[in-house]
Amino acid sequence: MSTVTAQDLTAALRSAVAGEVDDSERRRAEYSTDASNYRVVPQVVVSPRDAEDVLAALDVARRLEVPVTARGAGTSVAGNAVGPGLVLDFSRHMNKVVSLDPEARTAVVQPGVVMSDLQAVARPHGLRFGPDPSTQNRATLGGMIGNNACGPHAVAYGRTADNVRTLDVVDAGGRRFTAGAGAGALDAVPGLEKLVGANLATVRTALGRFKRQVSGYSLEHLLPENGTDLAKFLVGSEGTLVTVLGATVDLVPVPTAPVVVALGYPDMPTAADAVPALLKFDPLAVEGIDARLVDVVRRPSSSPPASARSSPRRATARGRPPRSCGCASGRGCGSPCRPGSTPSAAAPSGSPRACATARAPWRGRSPRRCGS
């Protein structure tokens, strides 16, 4: 572990990087968590403006022996986006769809582009990126490449690995290269072809045995019968082998007439048993919905959950419609009062009417006027 001080690291990064370099307590706290239960405070956060910034930051980290964590949206639930040293936030500046080729059905993207932004660019061409995790309105392509994201449409379009054509990457030694597929693809990593050739039996029988096998070292993609695909092999390696600077991804046509079929089962195991028969119809997506979620949708707005009923304040907010002020004219001003408030005394017809709240002054404020 490096013994370099945070101040030295920050100074070195600021002299090498054009993007933001932030070692403030607030910024470090913001990047100490992701969607997981873990908390790891980094020494410094860098928001690179371009690939050259990334290379410069990695060079500093390599020289000072500081660990690096590449971060997109921080939607990981396994602590993948937090680390103790340098955090590279790709979402701030490196978030562009560089180009899109409707004929080839491909797009070139930066690692920080949000998945739904790519969908918006591809949609006018009748195209989309296949995998779509539930966090797609904030998840970045770099993060999806890192953990080989899937989503409900993976049953039709596969994992992220199945939709990546080439990767622009830099390894731990600072070598930048393009990872692709086919003859000579493994030359970019000295010794890799020999490693695979010496372990063909193990790779063929122990890896890639089911379609949703995701994060990890998917050596099965390096087999000759699978196209000797170095790019697909790197997908899911969580930044432990390379840092992604850009990617060329495949796009698929948007379905023109999708149909939704809802099937009911007595329990989840029975529903799962039915899936193999359903797959024969080539569905675009298969989703399981627990009865508890269905109950939430069925519950009328006037019947809040038990947790809300136990709290008078929440019950008022969720279980009752807002009351309207009563006006001396009898017409009502139509503006909702706060819970616990009562209409004010008569006021001239057509003028605003103040809500005289029983708890006034509400949180130190004077009573508001209806319609505000």
Side-chain angles (χ1 to χ4, degrees):
M1 186 69 180
S2 173
T3 59
V4 67
T5 67
Q7 292 78 9
D8 291 341
L9 173 60
T10 301
L13 287 168
R14 283 177 175 155
S15 65
V17 175
E20 294 91 340
V21 177
D22 198 334
D23 64 345
S24 65
E25 288 188 12
R26 172 182 172 178
R27 187 69 72 204
R28 292 166 59 223
E30 289 172 344
Y31 285 77
S32 67
T33 60
D34 53 11
S36 71
N37 291 327
Y38 303 106
R39 184 174 187 270
V40 181
V41 182
Q43 289 180 286
V44 63
V45 177
V46 172
S47 300
R49 292 191 174 275
D50 50 33
E52 296 306 316
D53 258 4
V54 179
L55 297 175
L58 293 176
D59 182 64
V60 170
R62 188 183 313 109
R63 176 163 45 86
L64 299 181
E65 299 182 340
V66 173
V68 178
T69 300
R71 181 179 176 118
T75 57
S76 167
V77 296
N80 316 58
V82 296
L86 165 62
V87 169
L88 292 173
D89 178 7
F90 286 95
S91 67
R92 188 174 294 270
H93 300 298
M94 297 181 65
N95 53 14
K96 308 296 189 301
V97 177
V98 179
S99 64
L100 189 147
D101 186 337
E103 298 298 324
R105 293 180 180 175
T106 61
V108 178
V109 299
Q110 293 180 320
V113 67
V114 175
M115 193 263 191
S116 59
D117 290 343
L118 171 59
Q119 304 291 48
V121 173
R123 192 177 300 117
H125 303 284
L127 301 172
R128 56 163 287 164
F129 186 67
D132 53 352
S134 60
T135 55
Q136 60 181 288
N137 65 345
R138 53 201 184 279
T140 65
L141 264 294
M144 292 175 63
I145 291 169
N147 62 21
N148 200 5
C150 295
H153 287 91
V155 68
Y157 305 127
R159 307 154 295 179
T160 297
D162 302 313
N163 294 271
V164 167
R165 186 166 296 192
T166 63
L167 294 175
D168 178 9
V169 299
V170 54
D171 66 12
R175 293 188 312 114
R176 182 178 182 178
F177 60 92
T178 298
L186 304 189
D187 294 345
V189 183
L192 184 56
E193 185 172 14
K194 182 178 180 181
L195 173 67
V196 174
N199 296 275
L200 287 175
T202 301
V203 175
R204 282 172 172 150
T205 57
L207 297 172
R209 293 160 59 187
F210 55 95
K211 291 184 178 180
R212 290 297 287 264
Q213 187 169 332
V214 288
S215 293
Y217 300 140
S218 301
L219 290 162
E220 70 274 11
H221 292 299
L222 303 180
L223 293 171
E225 61 266 31
N226 291 336
T228 317
D229 202 320
L230 180 60
K232 288 179 171 53
F233 160 70
L234 292 174
V235 176
S237 58
E238 301 285 5
T240 58
L241 299 178
V242 294
T243 297
V244 177
L245 304 175
T248 299
V249 298
D250 290 316
L251 304 174
V252 297
V254 175
T256 56
V259 176
V260 177
V261 178
L263 304 174
Y265 299 92
D267 50 52
M268 293 298 282
T270 304
D273 289 340
V275 171
L278 297 175
L279 294 179
K280 297 178 182 178
F281 297 94
D282 297 324
L284 294 175
V286 177
E287 284 275 76
I289 303 178
D290 190 275
R292 288 172 292 183
L293 294 177
V294 177
D295 289 341
V296 170
V297 177
R298 286 175 172 170
R299 184 185 301 122
S301 60
S302 59
S303 302
S307 59
R309 290 197 296 270
S310 65
S311 170
R313 184 173 181 181
R314 291 178 66 188
T316 300
R318 294 187 181 183
R320 305 174 189 165
R323 296 185 299 156
S324 293
C325 290
C327 296
S329 64
R331 293 175 301 189
C333 70
S335 180
C337 287
R338 289 192 179 86
S341 66
T342 57
S344 66
S349 177
S351 65
R353 310 183 185 279
C355 295
T357 306
R359 294 170 295 177
W362 185 68
R363 293 186 182 176
R365 306 175 189 170
S366 59
R368 71 182 175 104
R369 300 185 71 80
C370 294
S372 61

